[in-house]
Amino acid sequence: MTPIILRSLFLLSFISFVSSIFQDEAFQTDYHYALLGIPREQTTFFHRPQSTFSASLLYTLTEKHVVGAVNPKNGSIIWRQRLNAERPDSTGFLRAGEDQDTVISAIDGEVAAWDSLNGKAVWSNRFDDGIIKDLEVLPFDDRNSEKDVKGPIVLFGQEGRGIVRRLGGTTGDVVWEYHDDSSGDIPYQLSTTATSVYLLSLHGKTTYKIRVTAIDPLTGKQQDRYTLSSDSDISDLQSIHYVGANVASPIVAWTDKATKVLKINIIGSKQVHTFKLSHDQGDEILHVSIHAPHLINSLPHFLVHYQTATSHWAEVYHIDLAKSTVTKAYNLPRVGGKGTFSTSNQDANVYFVRITETETVLVSSVSHGILERWPESSSIYKHGMKPMHAASEVVVKPGSSYAVRTAVTLDTGDWVLIRNGVVAWERPEALSGAMAAEWADLGASEALTDELEMESHQSVLGAYVNRWRRHIRDLRRLPGWLYQFGIRTQESLLGRGNTRAVDSGLKADSYGFRKLVIVATENGRLYALDAGQHGKIVWAVTVVDGEKWAVKNILPDIQKGQIKVKDSKGRVFIIDTMTGKILNQSSPSNKSSRIESIAVINTPSGEKVLLDIYEDGTLGDIPSSDPSLLNKTIIIRDPSTKGIKGIRFINTKNTIQPVTAWEFHPSQSEFIAGYTSRPSHDPVASLGRVLGDRSVLYKYLNPNLLIIVTINRNSMTATFHILDSITGRILQSFTQNGVDPTQDISLAMSENWFIWTFYSEVSTSPNSPSPHRTTPGYRGYQIGVAELYTSSIPNDRGPLHPSNTSTSGISSKPYISSSTFFIPEPISTLTITQTLQGITSRSILAYLPRSNALMAIPKILLDPRRPSTRDPTPAEIEEGLSRRGPLLEFDPRWILSHVRNVVGIKEVLSKPAGRMESTSLVFAYGGGGEVDAEGVGVGAGAAGARSGATAKADGGNEAGGTGRGIGGMAGLDLFGTLISPSQPFDLLGSEFGKGQLLLTILALGVGVVLLRPRVRRKGVDGRWIS
C-alpha cells in the first residue's frame, strides 16, 4: 500500500499547476498591464471631479497622448482616452477649471472636453487652420451658460501668425476669434487673468523679443500691445522657463544665455525684474524650473528651482500686486542629488512640496519654516532612480497637521505616489514604450534538452562522463526538491495552493508554463516579466540613458544564462538572465547608417550568427571564415529599388562572400504591401489532410516558402506571389480584387497555409465599368486564407510520388485552395499559435483595435473547403466541415482578454509550453510595428512594406531574423495568457476530484490489505482440495 499512496501523492502534487487554464478560471492565467504612458509635468494634476466631491482624482496627459484619471488611493485607472494625434511628437495640453466637472484636452487641431468622473466625451471641435500651441481655461463662467461652466481659450499657430479662439464650455462652439496681424511672429503661449487674455509671441529671427498682446476676454478685441526687450537673452524657446495663467498676477520668466541672470515680468506691465542667480559652489546650472499656483484667488507667490549635476536648491518670490514688484522672500537650502518641487493650494494658501532622494518636505509660500518632514523609507530611488517632476495635494488637518500625497515621475519612467513619505503605489509606465520583446526560458527541462543534445555530439566516453556529472549535480538539488514536494502535496490535498503556484525562487516549473518575457522600452529600460507569476516584474535595469532606444534583436542564451541585446547603433549588451546585471557592453558601430533589422542564423552547433541589415540595404560585418553561413540565404528589402532580394553566401577563395541570388521588383503601378514566411519553429505533425472518404490531400510543405503581397493602386487589386526563397522562382500567384490600397494588410503563415486581412471594395454588379469600386457594393473588412497542396486530386503526391511520375501531369507548382470571409471589424495584427510538436490545432491570434481585445480564431473555421452554396455532405461532415456564410461572426468565447480593455497592441508573441503539447504561451505588447516575430516586414498603407529580414537554408527553415524595431505610433498595454486551441488534453483540470481519487486509492489499498489473507487462504485450500 505504501508505494501506491506515494505514487498518488506524487500525482496530486502537480494538479494545482495546471488547473487554471480553463475558461471558468479567467483572470488566473492571464495578466494585463493597463498603462497610460509616462506623465508629462505640465499636464498632471489633482482635481476634484465634481464640485460636491471632497476627494480628488489624479489626472494626466501622457507622452503617449493618453488622457486618464487615476485613483490616488491604489493607482488603478478610473478611465482613459487616447487622443487622435497626427504625429508621434505632437504636443498635447490638458486643463481643468476650478470646480468644473470636465477636463479639456487639446492636440494638433482638436479640442475636446471629457467628463471628469467617467471619461465620457462631452464635446469636441476640430480646426484645420493651425496647430494648437496652448490651451487655458478662463477663470470665469460663460455668460450664456445655464450653469457655472468655464470655457477654454485656445492658441493656434498658422504660418507665422497666431489665432486665439474662445470656445464655449458647454458645447465647444467658437465664441470669438482673434487673428494676430504681426507677420513673422511666433505664437508662443497664452496667459489669462480675471480681466484679460494675453497672447505672448516671439518677434525676431535669430534672437527674440517677447511681444505681449492684451485681448478682451468678452469680445475678443485687442486692448493693448507692448514688447519686452529680451532679444539679448532669448535665442530659442528653451530660454523661456515659465508663463503663468489663471492667477491674479501672472508672470513670464526667462534667463540669459549664460544662465546667470533670472528675469521676470509681471504680465500686463512693461517692467522687467532682474535677479542674479547664486553660484555658491560654482556648479553649472543645468535646469531652471518655476512652480506657481494656478488658481485666481491664490497668493501671488512662486518658487524657482535650480538643478545642477550634483545638487539642487530653490528660491521663493513674492509679488506685490499694488506696486507690481517682485521680491525674493527666502531660500530653500541646497541639497545633494536630484530633486523636484510641486505646488498645491488650500483656499488662498500656497504650499510647496520638496521631493529629494531622502525625504519629503512641506513648506508654506509665506515662510521658510518646515511644516512637515517625512523621511523616505520605501527605497523608491533604488538602483539610481531619480525624481523628475511631481504633482501634489496638501490637506490641512485639525490641529495644524498636514497630509500630503505626491505623484512623482521618476527618470526610469515609473510613476509612484508618496503619501506622507510612504509609497502607496507604483506604476511601471515605461512599459508603455515597449518596442521589443522575447521569451527567455528558465532552465530545468529546456536546459536538460539542450544538454542531451550536446551529449549526442560527443564521444561515448565524453557523454558518459558528462552524464555522471549531471547526476551528481541533480543529487545536490534533492533536499530542496523534497521540501517543495511536501509543500505541493499539502497545498494540493488541502486546496490552499494558488492555481498558478510555482516554486520559490526564479526557476522553471515542471510543465514549462513559467518563462521570462524580456521587454525593451524606448526610454532605454530592460524588464524581465515572470509569465508564471501573472507578469510580475522580476528585475528592471536602465541600459541606455538620455536617448531614444531602438532595439533590433533580443537573443536569450539558456546555457550561459545570458541575454544578448543589440540596438540600431550596433551596440551589444550582455545581460544576466536571472538578475538583470549588465555583464558586458560593446561600442556603437562606426557606420553612418542605422541597423534596420537583424537576421539570426542557426548553426549545427547551436550557436547563432547575427547579421546586421542597415537602412540602406547593405549588410554588416560578415564572419568570412564561418562555414555555417555557407549556402544560406537571407531576404532583405532593397530601399533603392523598393523591391526584395535574396542574398546568398558562397565560398569564394576560402572566404564567405554574399552575392545577390535573385531580385523581386513590383510593376510600376504596384508597391509591396508586405511579405512573410514560415516561422522558425513550425513543426508539422501530418504530411497530409485526411478527407471524409479516407483519401488524403498532401500538403505542399516547402520550408523555404516566401509570400509577397503587391497592391496595384490603379486597379485596386492585391497579388499574392508565392516564391521559393532560395531560387527566387515564383511558384504560384493569385489576385484579390477590390483591395483598398490605403488600408493595412496583415499577414501570417504556418505549415502549408497563410492568412491575410484587408479592407475590400467590391462592386455588386459584374458588368460595372469600374468593377473594383464600390458604388454601391460590398464594403468591409475581410480575412482571407489560402492552403497549398501538392495536387487538387486526393492521394496524388505530385512530384513527391515514389515513382516520380504522375498521370495527371502535376508540376512542382502548388495547388491553391483559398477563400475569404467578411469580418465585423478590422484586425491589425495576426499571429499563429505555436506548440511543441505541432499536433494541436492552430488558432489565429488577432488583435481588434476597435474593441481593444485580443482574440483567438480557430483555424478550422477558416477552412477554404467549407461549402458556401450547399449543405455539407456526410463525408464533409465527418471531416469536420460545416456550411459557411459570407460573414465570420466573432464568438465572444474567442476573446482571450475577456472584459479587459487592452489598448495599443501591435505585436503578439506565441511560445510553446515546455512539455505540454496542448498549451501555448501568448504575450502581446505595443511593439514598433516594423518587423514581425520572424523578421519579415509586414507593411501598411500606400507607403509600402517596412523593411525586414528572414534567413533560410536549403535544408529547411533553419534561421529567422528577429528585430522588432521602433516606428510610428507606439503601443500602450501589455497582456499575457495561456491558450489551449484543442483543449488541455494532456492536463487535468480544476474540476478533477483530487479528494475522491485519493479516497478511492486508499479504499483500494485497504481492500487489498484486508482481502490478501483471505485470497491466500482460498488459494491454499484450493490446492489441498484439488
Side-chain angles (χ1 to χ4, degrees):
M1 182 176 67
T2 301
I4 298 176
I5 295 177
L6 287 178
R7 293 190 187 100
S8 65
L9 293 176
F10 181 80
L11 174 65
L12 290 174
S13 65
F14 293 100
I15 292 177
S16 61
F17 283 82
V18 301
S19 61
S20 63
I21 63 175
F22 290 86
Q23 288 184 344
D24 59 350
E25 294 184 358
F27 309 110
Q28 298 297 319
T29 62
D30 52 3
Y31 52 93
H32 177 211
Y33 280 90
L35 303 171
L36 295 166
I38 300 176
R40 297 175 62 243
E41 181 176 9
Q42 303 301 328
T43 56
T44 303
F45 50 83
F46 287 89
H47 174 69
R48 290 186 300 168
Q50 293 184 2
S51 58
T52 57
F53 281 33
S54 58
S56 300
L57 297 180
L58 181 58
Y59 296 87
T60 185
L61 171 59
T62 68
E63 295 178 357
K64 296 297 180 183
H65 310 132
V66 176
V67 178
V70 174
N71 188 345
K73 292 183 178 180
N74 53 23
S76 62
I77 296 177
I78 304 297
W79 60 265
R80 56 178 175 169
Q81 296 284 354
R82 195 161 196 174
L83 303 183
N84 298 318
E86 298 175 357
R87 306 178 313 277
D89 59 347
S90 295
T91 301
F93 304 89
L94 183 68
R95 302 289 186 264
E98 185 181 8
D99 296 330
Q100 298 297 291
D101 58 3
T102 60
V103 292
I104 300 176
S105 65
I107 193 168
D108 294 328
E110 186 174 12
V111 186
W114 312 92
D115 190 290
S116 302
L117 193 59
N118 53 38
K120 294 182 178 179
V122 178
W123 56 261
S124 65
N125 200 341
R126 184 167 187 85
F127 303 89
D128 298 324
D129 54 357
I131 300 298
I132 295 176
K133 299 294 184 179
D134 194 17
L135 167 73
E136 296 295 343
V137 177
L138 291 173
F140 48 82
D141 302 332
D142 290 347
R143 291 181 299 176
N144 299 326
S145 176
E146 297 179 357
K147 57 180 182 178
D148 297 336
V149 178
K150 297 179 173 65
I153 190 92
V154 190
L155 172 62
F156 295 82
Q158 178 193 24
E159 297 179 354
R161 292 191 176 184
I163 303 176
V164 181
R165 290 188 174 98
R166 177 182 173 182
L167 307 182
T170 304
T171 62
D173 296 334
V174 177
V175 178
W176 53 256
E177 291 185 359
Y178 171 81
H179 292 258
D180 187 10
D181 57 1
S182 301
S183 178
D185 283 4
I186 301 175
Y188 180 68
Q189 203 163 331
L190 292 173
S191 180
T192 57
T193 65
T195 57
S196 296
V197 173
Y198 295 96
L199 167 62
L200 279 71
S201 55
L202 303 181
H203 177 72
K205 295 183 179 180
T206 58
T207 59
Y208 303 99
K209 294 181 179 180
I210 299 177
R211 178 169 290 175
V212 182
T213 304
I215 305 172
D216 189 321
L218 300 179
T219 63
K221 303 296 183 180
Q222 179 176 316
Q223 294 175 327
D224 189 17
R225 171 175 288 179
Y226 60 91
T227 302
L228 300 177
S229 180
S230 59
D231 53 332
S232 60
D233 303 322
I234 301 177
S235 58
D236 52 38
L237 301 182
Q238 285 69 33
S239 300
I240 302 178
H241 299 289
Y242 182 77
V243 176
N246 287 346
V247 291
S249 185
I251 63 170
V252 55
W254 68 94
T255 55
D256 62 345
K257 297 178 182 179
T259 320
K260 294 184 178 180
V261 176
L262 173 67
K263 297 186 177 183
I264 298 173
N265 168 254
I266 301 175
I267 299 178
S269 68
K270 300 179 181 180
Q271 183 180 0
V272 176
H273 305 271
T274 302
F275 299 91
K276 185 178 180 180
L277 302 184
S278 59
H279 289 264
D280 298 338
Q281 300 180 5
D283 295 342
E284 178 185 0
I285 297 177
L286 302 178
H287 182 67
V288 178
S289 60
I290 296 180
H291 303 269
H294 292 276
L295 295 180
I296 197 70
N297 62 341
S298 60
L299 294 174
H301 301 166
F302 63 92
L303 178 146
V304 183
H305 172 212
Y306 306 98
Q307 180 72 55
T308 68
T310 59
S311 62
H312 69 281
W313 69 97
E315 299 172 343
V316 176
Y317 292 82
H318 292 173
I319 299 175
D320 190 323
L321 298 179
K323 301 179 181 179
S324 294
T325 59
V326 179
T327 57
K328 183 164 69 173
Y330 62 88
N331 297 330
L332 292 176
R334 181 189 295 261
V335 175
K338 183 79 174 180
T340 187
F341 291 84
S342 57
T343 306
S344 180
N345 288 83
Q346 185 77 20
D347 299 326
N349 299 316
V350 179
Y351 299 94
F352 298 120
V353 180
R354 184 176 194 173
I355 305 293
T356 70
E357 298 177 16
T358 59
E359 62 182 1
T360 301
V361 177
L362 174 66
V363 298
S364 171
S365 66
V366 178
S367 173
H368 66 279
I370 295 178
L371 301 179
E372 292 283 359
R373 168 179 276 152
W374 298 276
E376 204 292 299
S377 58
S378 302
S379 300
I380 62 171
Y381 306 118
K382 55 185 179 296
H383 307 304
M385 296 180 180
K386 308 294 181 182
M388 296 299 293
H389 56 82
S392 297
E393 183 180 47
V394 178
V395 177
V396 180
K397 294 183 176 181
S400 300
S401 62
Y402 300 86
V404 178
R405 52 184 179 183
T406 303
V408 184
T409 302
L410 305 179
D411 61 347
T412 59
D414 296 313
W415 197 23
V416 300
L417 187 128
I418 304 174
R419 185 181 296 116
N420 295 339
V422 179
V423 174
W425 48 260
E426 181 177 353
R427 294 182 56 87
E429 294 297 342
L431 286 173
S432 63
M435 44 67 182
E438 191 57 80
W439 297 97
D441 294 316
L442 281 175
S445 60
E446 290 83 2
L448 178 61
T449 302
D450 293 341
E451 194 163 359
L452 293 175
E453 179 69 19
M454 181 186 65
E455 291 177 2
S456 66
H457 295 283
Q458 293 178 336
S459 64
V460 176
L461 180 61
Y464 183 76
V465 173
N466 188 76
R467 180 164 299 186
W468 266 104
R469 292 174 178 172
R470 175 161 48 84
H471 291 332
I472 293 174
R473 291 197 306 266
D474 293 340
L475 287 175
R476 297 174 182 173
R477 307 188 188 102
L478 181 60
W481 184 89
L482 292 175
Y483 174 75
Q484 293 296 333
F485 171 77
I487 294 178
R488 291 196 303 267
T489 301
Q490 180 182 5
E491 291 180 346
S492 180
L493 293 177
L494 300 179
R496 295 195 305 236
N498 186 290
T499 55
R500 289 293 303 277
V502 294
D503 293 343
S504 60
L506 192 58
K507 52 185 177 181
D509 61 345
S510 301
Y511 296 102
F513 293 161
R514 189 179 191 187
K515 300 180 186 294
L516 292 183
V517 185
I518 308 301
V519 181
T521 64
E522 59 188 7
N523 72 332
R525 296 275 286 173
L526 198 67
Y527 290 81
L529 309 182
D530 189 346
Q533 292 282 63
H534 300 282
K536 177 184 177 181
I537 297 177
V538 178
W539 51 259
V541 60
T542 299
V543 181
V544 299
D545 194 12
E547 62 178 278
K548 199 170 186 179
W549 202 26
V551 171
K552 297 301 180 181
N553 178 266
I554 300 177
L555 184 63
D557 189 334
I558 186 174
Q559 289 292 340
K560 297 180 180 179
Q562 297 175 355
I563 302 166
K564 181 185 291 186
V565 181
K566 195 167 188 177
D567 62 15
S568 62
K569 294 183 178 180
R571 294 174 297 189
V572 178
F573 305 90
I574 306 299
I575 313 294
D576 186 277
T577 304
M578 308 300 286
T579 64
K581 181 181 179 181
I582 302 177
L583 303 176
N584 195 8
Q585 175 180 343
S586 67
S587 301
S589 171
N590 54 9
K591 293 196 64 171
S592 58
S593 180
R594 295 293 184 92
I595 296 175
E596 182 69 17
S597 58
I598 295 177
V600 182
I601 298 181
N602 297 327
T603 63
S605 63
E607 296 291 332
K608 298 181 184 294
V609 178
L610 304 183
L611 292 179
D612 300 337
I613 303 172
Y614 288 87
E615 294 173 337
D616 56 4
T618 60
L619 298 179
D621 296 334
I622 299 173
S624 58
S625 61
D626 191 346
S628 61
L629 291 178
L630 191 61
N631 295 327
K632 297 294 196 309
T633 302
I634 62 173
I635 315 302
I636 66 174
R637 282 295 297 270
D638 190 347
S640 60
T641 63
K642 297 182 180 180
I644 296 176
K645 62 182 180 181
I647 304 296
R648 191 175 184 84
F649 297 94
I650 63 175
N651 190 347
T652 304
K653 297 180 180 181
N654 296 325
T655 60
I656 307 298
Q657 297 292 334
V659 296
T660 301
W662 55 266
E663 295 185 51
F664 177 90
H665 301 288
S667 63
Q668 187 174 3
S669 59
E670 291 183 325
F671 67 92
I672 296 178
Y675 62 103
T676 190
S677 65
R678 291 178 61 180
S680 57
H681 178 82
D682 191 27
V684 178
S686 175
L687 297 178
R689 173 173 180 169
V690 180
L691 305 183
D693 58 1
R694 299 301 183 269
S695 61
V696 178
L697 278 177
Y698 287 96
K699 301 175 182 178
Y700 189 89
L701 296 172
N702 185 343
N704 304 311
L705 285 182
L706 177 67
I707 311 297
I708 302 178
V709 184
T710 60
I711 294 182
N712 191 307
R713 297 184 181 91
N714 300 328
S715 61
M716 298 181 66
T717 58
T719 303
F720 294 81
H721 307 272
I722 304 174
L723 287 79
D724 187 307
S725 62
I726 301 300
T727 63
R729 184 168 65 97
I730 298 179
L731 303 176
Q732 196 66 274
S733 298
F734 65 93
T735 300
Q736 177 79 55
N737 293 329
V739 176
D740 188 346
T742 64
Q743 298 284 336
D744 294 356
I745 286 185
S746 297
L747 285 169
M749 186 180 186
S750 179
E751 290 193 58
N752 67 318
W753 54 275
F754 62 93
I755 54 174
W756 67 95
T757 62
F758 62 100
Y759 183 80
S760 65
E761 296 190 2
V762 182
S763 173
T764 56
S765 174
N767 299 321
S768 173
S770 181
H772 307 299
R773 304 223 175 246
T774 328
T775 41
Y778 301 131
R779 294 190 180 188
Y781 295 94
Q782 294 192 46
I783 185 171
V785 58
E787 296 181 350
L788 310 180
Y789 296 96
T790 59
S791 172
S792 61
I793 304 173
N795 298 328
D796 188 349
R797 299 190 65 181
L800 301 178
H801 195 274
S803 63
N804 203 22
T805 60
S806 176
T807 56
S808 59
I810 298 298
S811 68
S812 60
K813 292 186 177 182
Y815 164 71
I816 301 176
S817 175
S818 63
S819 181
T820 59
F821 301 79
F822 279 94
I823 52 179
E825 58 179 297
I827 292 174
S828 63
T829 301
L830 290 174
T831 303
I832 300 171
T833 56
Q834 297 181 4
T835 56
L836 199 60
Q837 303 295 334
I839 301 173
T840 303
S841 301
R842 303 291 205 276
S843 285
I844 293 92
L845 302 174
Y847 177 68
L848 309 178
R850 291 186 179 175
S851 300
N852 294 327
L854 184 65
M855 179 177 63
I857 306 175
K859 167 60 175 65
I860 192 173
L861 296 179
L862 296 177
D863 196 320
R865 298 184 65 252
R866 292 177 59 189
S868 60
T869 58
R870 57 175 176 81
D871 293 331
T873 63
E876 291 173 334
I877 293 177
E878 187 174 353
E879 189 181 342
L881 300 179
S882 59
R883 184 171 181 174
R884 54 152 292 186
L887 177 65
L888 178 68
E889 291 283 357
F890 291 162
D891 192 328
R893 292 174 295 180
W894 299 349
I895 304 299
L896 300 179
S897 52
H898 308 293
V899 297
R900 288 178 165 138
N901 195 37
V902 183
V903 181
I905 297 300
K906 289 191 176 182
E907 297 286 349
V908 181
L909 306 182
S910 178
K911 175 79 171 180
R915 292 184 179 181
M916 299 295 103
E917 164 61 26
S918 65
T919 306
S920 177
L921 283 73
V922 177
F923 181 74
Y925 67 103
E930 289 195 21
V931 186
D932 72 357
E934 297 306 321
V936 178
V938 180
R946 302 177 178 92
S947 61
T950 182
K952 293 182 178 296
D954 288 336
N957 191 0
E958 295 183 2
T962 60
R964 306 169 188 90
I966 192 169
M969 292 294 293
L972 197 64
D973 287 359
L974 307 180
F975 178 78
T977 188
L978 300 177
I979 179 174
S980 299
S982 299
Q983 300 301 319
F985 54 82
D986 50 3
L987 299 171
L988 297 177
S990 59
E991 72 281 0
F992 184 80
K994 292 175 285 187
Q996 183 178 358
L997 174 63
L998 180 60
L999 291 176
T1000 302
I1001 295 174
L1002 291 176
L1004 291 175
V1006 172
V1008 170
V1009 172
L1010 295 178
L1011 293 177
R1012 180 178 296 173
R1014 182 176 180 182
V1015 172
R1016 183 183 296 116
R1017 187 182 306 111
K1018 184 177 181 181
V1020 173
D1021 293 344
R1023 290 181 181 181
W1024 280 104
I1025 294 174
S1026 62

